[in-house]
Amino acid sequence: MDLTSSQHNYLQNELGLLTAFLLQHFHGCTSFKILKYWEKEDEQIVAEIMRRRFIPALITHETWEGFHFAGHEIRITETTDCYGAVVWPSALVLCYFLETNSKQYNLVDKNVIEIGAGTGLVSIVASLLGALVTATDLPELLGNLQHNVLRNTKLKSKHQPCVKELSWGIDLEKNFPRSSCHFDYIMAADVVYHHPFLDELLLTFDHLCKNDTVILWAMKFRLEKENKFVDRFQTLFDLEMISNFPSLNITLYKAMRKGSMKASLPN
């Protein structure tokens, strides 16, 4: 691939920053010391992420968990009878990333869709950061999802989020026509686990993603069968690891349609 001069300068600058970082922190270090450094970084950031969750001091008739993101106290109602109504650590990782990287990933007035939104925490944080959000999940989860989104964004967000049914792989063109639906970001947290709809999930990513759409996906690694989804995902999308938390077995990925990530380098 031939790079323009500005692209070449951009890559040189990024390489220079990485080299300076490595020399500052790891000059003369053994690989063991480097590993211990990254383990410490992992532990510190994970501790900071988990401190964003809090339990209410007073017990009331309504059970909820609290979170601090985007300068707001967020109250989430959960249920324990299905996977989609619980806040999983991957959602916290993605929310923390959105908040702490809001300049690089500026969501103000951007069209964002979350697939498998569950309790809605990621959608709520994206909305509080200024995005036009569509939060989606299965029909049986929409009541609780709508409740959480409304209570945490009404009169707080620039744009009121939309809650919509999306069953992966079903009626995609009918409910999200390619001609009129354009999303700047697709967000997903912990959508790969022991379920029989991985083909439909990949089909949904493919349908919703345009050439300039950015996918932010927090992946919890569990069983080998589910983990192989990452390989299948890369047949359609370029994948870049932007954060990794070994203590949680969670990796945060950025993805774009094949060839689009290279095209997004500055001209």
Side-chain angles (χ1 to χ4, degrees):
M1 179 185 69
D2 295 328
L3 295 176
T4 66
S5 59
S6 60
Q7 289 174 334
H8 179 75
N9 291 338
Y10 171 82
L11 291 174
Q12 274 197 323
N13 181 62
E14 292 297 301
L15 181 59
L17 291 173
L18 176 60
T19 302
F21 176 84
L22 291 174
L23 287 173
Q24 177 185 354
H25 291 281
F26 302 135
H27 180 66
C29 289
T30 64
S31 58
F32 175 77
K33 288 182 179 179
I34 295 174
L35 178 61
K36 297 304 290 184
Y37 174 87
W38 286 120
E39 287 177 351
K40 183 178 179 181
E41 285 288 291
D42 173 44
E43 292 171 1
Q44 290 176 342
I45 297 175
V46 168
E48 168 59 24
I49 293 172
M50 294 309 163
R51 279 196 293 268
R52 302 301 185 94
R53 184 199 300 257
F54 69 93
I55 306 297
L58 297 176
I59 304 299
T60 65
H61 67 283
E62 182 183 13
T63 302
W64 57 272
E65 273 195 293
F67 303 87
H68 289 294
F69 286 109
H72 292 270
E73 178 182 293
I74 300 169
R75 298 187 177 191
I76 296 292
T77 300
E78 298 178 303
T79 63
T80 57
D81 56 355
C82 65
Y83 289 126
V86 176
V87 177
W88 298 99
S90 294
L92 301 184
V93 167
L94 183 49
C95 289
Y96 181 81
F97 176 82
L98 296 177
E99 181 191 74
T100 56
N101 293 272
S102 59
K103 290 185 178 180
Q104 183 179 358
Y105 295 86
N106 185 358
L107 298 184
V108 176
D109 299 330
K110 296 296 194 299
N111 283 310
V112 172
I113 186 169
E114 185 186 6
I115 60 174
T119 61
L121 180 61
V122 171
S123 289
I124 291 165
V125 172
S127 177
L128 293 173
L129 291 170
L132 296 98
V133 175
T134 302
T136 70
D137 215 313
L138 297 169
E140 59 267 28
L141 298 174
L142 295 188
N144 188 56
L145 176 57
Q146 177 70 61
H147 170 72
N148 285 327
V149 166
L150 187 62
R151 80 186 295 187
N152 289 290
T153 60
K154 187 176 182 181
L155 304 180
K156 300 177 183 178
S157 295
K158 184 177 182 181
H159 308 283
Q160 187 59 41
C162 169
V163 174
K164 190 171 181 178
E165 176 185 345
L166 197 170
S167 299
W168 298 337
I170 298 176
D171 292 332
L172 293 175
E173 183 59 29
K174 176 183 176 182
N175 296 325
F176 299 89
R178 291 180 186 268
S179 60
S180 59
C181 287
H182 181 279
F183 297 105
D184 299 294
Y185 290 93
I186 300 170
M187 298 189 183
D190 217 351
V191 292
V192 178
Y193 52 91
H194 185 61
H195 63 71
F197 304 109
L198 295 179
D199 290 341
E200 291 81 359
L201 174 59
L202 187 59
L203 182 64
T204 301
F205 274 121
D206 185 38
H207 180 84
L208 295 174
C209 190
K210 296 288 199 297
N211 286 338
D212 58 347
T213 301
V214 173
I215 300 171
L216 294 176
W217 167 30
M219 166 75 175
K220 169 78 170 181
F221 284 86
R222 296 185 177 90
L223 302 176
E224 183 62 24
K225 179 182 178 182
E226 287 77 42
N227 296 346
K228 287 182 179 178
F229 178 83
V230 176
D231 296 329
R232 297 174 55 202
F233 184 87
Q234 290 184 90
T235 63
L236 298 177
F237 302 99
D238 290 326
L239 197 62
E240 175 188 339
M241 184 181 71
I242 51 179
S243 292
N244 186 40
F245 302 98
S247 62
L248 297 175
N249 287 328
I250 293 174
T251 299
L252 181 59
Y253 292 112
K254 170 186 174 182
M256 295 183 74
R257 191 169 288 284
K258 279 284 188 182
S260 298
M261 198 174 294
K262 295 177 183 177
S264 68
L265 284 171
N267 294 318

